[in-house]
Amino acid sequence: MSDIQHASSAELNVKEIVKKATELNDFSHLLAHVPYAKFIGMEVVRFGDELVFQLPAKDENIGNPTLPAIHGGVIAGFMEMSAIVQLMVFMQTSKVPKIVDFSIDYLRAGYHRDTFAECKITRQGRRVANVNINCWQTNRKSLIATARAHFLIE
Amino acid sequence: MKVSPGFFPLTGLATRFVDQLVQCRRLQLKVLEGSEHHVLIELPYSTELIGYPDTGVIHGGVITTLMDTASGSAVVCSIFDKFNSLELSPTLDLRVDYMKPAQPHKSVFGFAECYKLSSSIAFTRAIAYQDSIDDPIAHAVGSFMRISPDMVGDEFRRALMGDEYE
């Protein structure tokens, strides 16, 4: 395959993949195309109009081995990827949204257990979107981290 | 510019700290320099870390992990230099601004400083770059909570001190 063909097929991909995932109601499809999502082992489940992102406990995601706790960077990466998928699905973007800034507050230690996240698109402009991400473990009311991020969208 | 790691006295401590973190071993993070003022860490490129499949650019989350690790290591080094004690400071918050995507197939370097240590908080700033620190990929500011040195377990203390452990 020539480089040009390869580039155009890659561009087409995103919209097609999002469309297919929406039709099949299977958003794991989207994550399967992103190596980093596989690297940390994240998943996504849809409940009606809601997406809930999951990060099953995984030994390689540990930072501090004495607690043990998930590495703060992995929690941030999981939340950032969740926001990207949320934008792709609900705004049907033709490209993967590009991160502009990401600000995370760690509220509690993220222990070595299953972790969840949900996102809220706070504002979507023509070029920039603002997303809020909340992350918890055993109880949705006791968040382990909260973050907000800006993305460039096309 | 290549400088001998021996020139920076805390390179060993920072290396042992980063090597304790499972995710950092997985990312193959390598401490190049460590001193009372700064820590410099290299993140090698890997296709496993791609976040943008159409371009091969690594995921922002990997840069965040690099920034968090470099900043946290800078705090450990700074506290060790100032108080001759080991503390593990959890991240309170971290903000990362992304100026441009990291070029694929090249390492990313994370340079972090702990610019202020107060009695309960450590303040950090960090830059991620590839060719030159003056042409950054990302910039981060963070704060870390200081907790008692007693919270560091014996096993972890031994691992951090290496041969210098008495």
Side-chain angles (χ1 to χ4, degrees):
Chain A
M1 197 196 292
S2 81
D3 279 355
I4 296 165
Q5 271 177 325
H6 185 77
S8 61
S9 68
E11 265 171 44
L12 266 181
N13 260 341
V14 176
K15 207 154 199 170
E16 276 304 307
I17 293 164
V18 174
K19 210 176 134 196
K20 195 169 172 201
T22 313
E23 277 168 15
L24 296 171
N25 204 17
D26 178 8
F27 294 91
S28 52
H29 222 77
L30 275 177
L31 293 176
H33 287 84
V34 182
Y36 182 72
K38 270 191 274 183
F39 182 77
I40 58 172
M42 69 179 282
E43 295 162 10
V44 54
V45 187
R46 180 171 190 158
F47 299 100
D49 272 348
E50 261 186 57
L51 291 180
V52 174
F53 301 88
Q54 281 184 55
L55 184 69
K58 189 179 175 191
D59 289 348
E60 286 96 340
N61 289 342
I62 291 174
N64 182 344
T66 48
L67 271 177
I70 305 175
H71 194 296
V74 173
I75 296 175
F78 164 59
M79 291 167 84
E80 183 186 322
M81 190 65 220
S82 301
I84 290 174
V85 172
Q86 183 90 10
L87 285 170
M88 284 165 71
V89 171
F90 289 100
M91 300 181 62
Q92 299 280 314
T93 57
S94 54
K95 283 191 179 161
V96 182
K98 279 199 186 120
I99 182 84
V100 178
D101 60 58
F102 186 86
S103 180
I104 180 165
D105 293 331
Y106 295 96
L107 308 172
R108 289 181 178 83
Y111 293 108
H112 182 35
R113 49 174 91 125
D114 293 359
T115 307
F116 306 92
E118 61 182 356
C119 309
K120 198 177 138 223
I121 301 173
T122 318
R123 154 145 174 102
Q124 51 180 90
R126 244 175 349 112
R127 294 166 60 204
V128 175
N130 181 296
V131 187
N132 251 288
I133 310 113
N134 283 333
C135 187
W136 72 92
Q137 288 187 322
T138 38
N139 185 336
R140 214 190 191 115
K141 281 179 190 148
S142 45
L143 299 177
I144 61 158
T146 174
R148 62 176 190 82
H150 283 106
F151 292 90
L152 276 177
I153 44 174
E154 274 178 63
Chain B
M1 186 180 70
K2 280 260 184 253
V3 184
S4 151
F7 186 75
F8 298 105
L10 299 179
T11 307
L13 175 66
T15 301
R16 291 189 292 271
F17 173 69
V18 171
D19 285 350
Q20 280 296 303
L21 311 176
V22 185
Q23 172 72 9
C24 299
R25 288 203 298 270
R26 195 70 227 288
L27 292 172
Q28 295 182 283
L29 294 190
K30 190 180 172 212
V31 175
L32 302 180
E33 299 170 9
S35 77
E36 67 274 33
H37 302 297
H38 83 293
V39 166
L40 179 66
I41 297 180
E42 177 176 5
L43 163 77
Y45 182 80
S46 159
T47 51
E48 279 188 299
L49 306 178
I50 292 173
Y52 299 85
D54 44 346
T55 54
V57 171
I58 58 171
H59 198 275
V62 188
I63 305 281
T64 311
T65 304
L66 172 67
M67 296 299 224
D68 189 23
T69 306
S71 303
S73 315
V75 173
V76 169
C77 288
S78 185
I79 290 174
F80 184 78
D81 178 73
K82 199 167 173 190
F83 302 103
N84 196 28
S85 74
L86 284 177
E87 289 179 23
L88 294 179
S89 309
T91 317
L92 276 180
D93 70 59
L94 188 72
R95 180 202 160 102
V96 188
D97 290 324
Y98 298 87
M99 278 99 213
K100 61 171 196 176
Q103 289 168 263
H105 309 290
K106 279 167 81 168
S107 288
V108 176
F109 300 92
F111 178 97
E113 294 173 291
C114 173
Y115 67 91
K116 170 72 186 171
L117 264 182
S118 78
S119 55
S120 44
I121 307 288
F123 298 90
T124 63
R125 56 186 164 224
I127 293 175
Y129 64 92
Q130 288 183 306
D131 297 323
S132 157
I133 198 163
D134 298 321
D135 186 15
I137 291 166
H139 182 263
V141 287
S143 55
F144 293 74
M145 200 170 86
R146 291 186 56 192
I147 51 173
S148 155
D150 304 337
M151 297 293 284
V152 183
D154 250 4
E155 201 186 325
F156 202 76
R157 182 182 307 276
R158 220 167 292 140
L160 286 195
M161 292 314 291
D163 297 337
E164 294 148 54
Y165 186 74
E166 311 148 49

